[in-house]
Amino acid sequence: MDTGFDLRKHGGVEVFLRDCPTRAVLELIAGKWTMLVLVALTDGRPMRFAELRRRLDGVTSKVLTQTLRALEREGLLVRRVYPTVPPCVEYRLTRLGEEVGGLVQSITDWSQANIAAIQIAREEFDERTTRRPVGSYGSEHRPTRSGDTPD
């Protein structure tokens, strides 16, 4: 499958190929709860499970546990258990986790700075599409030649 420039020839991976290991990392990082955990921990201080759960409004214990385990498995987070009764467990980002956490924080900052424009675009789109009969497209989406399909 030709996906354009082949990085494998230059010692890299081809992320567009289905068996590329980078895809699994991207899938994890792109998850809503993963992104929010990374942002919650970017300030560098360790957080306990209950503190993270309160901070991430709407996350279930099960999903948070799965997310934390996945981040730990990928080397983005460390889990430290203190020998107390009951056990105290803290989570913090590794150097690798801090690096990707900074990138995710930038996406979060961009989202917050542009949410008003995004909401306007969403409303305009919804207004346009609700006025249009089902299955029809505006002239800008019609194929120009027989067999052409819109991008």
Side-chain angles (χ1 to χ4, degrees):
M1 172 183 190
D2 183 18
T3 58
F5 185 74
D6 190 351
L7 291 174
R8 293 172 294 178
K9 295 176 184 174
H10 305 283
V13 294
E14 179 57 84
V15 71
F16 296 108
L17 295 176
R18 83 182 78 176
D19 62 347
C20 177
T22 304
R23 276 196 179 185
V25 177
L26 291 174
E27 187 176 320
L28 171 66
I29 292 168
K32 170 178 67 173
W33 296 115
T34 299
M35 292 185 91
L36 292 173
V37 166
L38 289 169
V39 170
L41 292 171
T42 54
D43 65 3
R45 72 179 180 85
M47 292 180 80
R48 295 178 66 178
F49 185 89
E51 186 179 8
L52 272 168
R53 181 144 188 252
R54 279 191 304 273
R55 181 107 190 253
L56 305 177
D57 187 33
V59 71
T60 64
S61 291
K62 179 182 176 182
V63 169
L64 181 56
T65 298
Q66 291 170 338
T67 302
L68 292 169
R69 282 187 182 153
L71 288 167
E72 184 179 12
R73 182 174 186 254
E74 299 298 327
L76 302 176
L77 175 139
V78 290
R79 177 180 184 264
R80 183 169 180 194
V81 181
Y82 294 93
T84 59
V85 179
C88 174
V89 180
E90 289 183 338
Y91 299 90
R92 69 171 178 77
L93 296 179
T94 62
R95 183 198 55 75
L96 205 56
E98 289 172 354
E99 198 174 313
V100 73
L103 296 170
V104 173
Q105 181 65 59
S106 295
I107 293 169
T108 302
D109 294 343
W110 178 88
S111 298
Q112 290 174 338
N114 291 285
I115 190 63
I118 291 168
Q119 287 173 326
I120 290 168
R122 185 183 301 154
E123 290 168 6
E124 289 172 352
F125 176 87
D126 290 347
E127 187 177 309
R128 279 193 321 271
T129 58
T130 56
R131 288 184 294 180
R132 200 178 285 156
V134 176
S136 70
Y137 292 97
S139 60
E140 70 277 8
H141 294 290
R142 291 183 192 195
T144 55
R145 294 184 314 228
S146 176
D148 284 352
T149 56
D151 291 337

